[in-house]
Amino acid sequence: MEPMTGVAVTVVLIVVGAGVAMWWNAKQEPEAPAPPPNKWKGGKITPMMAGARNKAPERVARESVMIQAVLLAVEMARADGEVPDSERETIRQFILNNVTGADEEFADNAIAKGFDATRNTAAVDSAIATVRAVGSEEQRVLILELLVHVAQADGVIHHAERAFMERIGERMGLGPEEVARLIALEEPE
């Protein structure tokens, strides 16, 4: 890939992501009450959307982090070179349970767009930078938990998946002990 093509793809992904976030935020009710705290994947992951919902900058930050979480989950699914349906379904359930107002059509479209996009390390770098800039530590842990769930969805955490999670966790500012602990919690037996 030519260097300018990679830059162009990165710019397009960032612009599309920002556009989706703005479109999604415009769809939301400004005075919507917070949903009751529900659990995802057997109570192991709680929604990112809990908390104050009526403050626009916070809502934009949450949606931005959510978009980046889905991008990282797609790249996690691709890490070992295979993307079984179980990994796609894990991402789909995450979207349905963590994106305010998401329905099955939205989740399916988001997944399709994610997997249709070309693998791009610059987009991953941008996602990590966004999460570090606007995401809380709790959100960074949630994203790593999502990556672990995606990796183990097929029953095996492959070496390439483990390496991807360790790299992402470290770059998001989580310590190596925390990353190892989160991966070990979900290690298939």
Side-chain angles (χ1 to χ4, degrees), residues 7-186:
V7 171
V9 169
T10 300
V11 169
V12 167
L13 287 172
I14 291 170
V15 169
V16 168
V20 168
M22 288 175 21
W23 168 80
W24 187 253
N25 288 329
K27 282 183 54 175
Q28 302 304 309
E29 297 277 332
E31 298 298 319
N38 59 344
K39 302 286 183 176
W40 177 71
K41 289 292 260 182
K44 295 178 183 171
I45 296 183
T46 57
M48 232 182 250
M49 296 305 186
R53 304 179 58 76
N54 299 326
K55 297 180 182 167
E58 290 177 14
R59 189 172 55 244
V60 170
R62 277 193 306 273
E63 294 302 327
S64 180
V65 169
M66 187 60 58
I67 290 165
Q68 305 316 316
V70 171
L71 182 147
L72 292 170
V74 166
E75 290 303 314
M76 174 78 258
R78 292 175 167 170
D80 65 353
E82 300 175 18
V83 183
D85 290 341
S86 58
E87 292 179 348
R88 288 178 186 264
E89 182 59 22
T90 298
I91 298 168
R92 184 176 178 276
Q93 288 302 315
F94 177 81
I95 294 169
L96 289 172
N97 289 298
N98 289 281
V99 175
T100 306
D103 58 11
E104 292 186 22
E105 181 181 2
F106 177 85
D108 292 341
N109 287 337
I111 291 169
K113 287 179 185 175
F115 282 105
D116 286 345
T118 305
R119 292 191 79 175
N120 184 337
T121 56
V124 171
D125 293 342
S126 176
I128 294 167
T130 299
V131 170
R132 280 197 73 142
V134 300
S136 67
E137 182 175 351
E138 179 182 15
Q139 289 170 328
R140 293 191 305 268
V141 168
L142 174 67
I143 290 170
L144 191 61
E145 288 176 346
L146 168 62
L147 299 183
V148 172
H149 281 286
V150 171
Q152 64 88 35
D154 61 359
V156 178
I157 296 180
H158 298 275
H159 175 72
E161 292 172 326
R162 178 180 291 280
F164 183 82
M165 288 184 286
E166 289 170 350
R167 188 174 74 245
I168 297 303
E170 178 184 320
R171 294 190 52 214
M172 285 194 307
L174 300 174
E177 300 83 20
E178 177 75 356
V179 172
R181 183 187 68 76
L182 291 168
I183 293 171
L185 288 176
E186 296 300 322

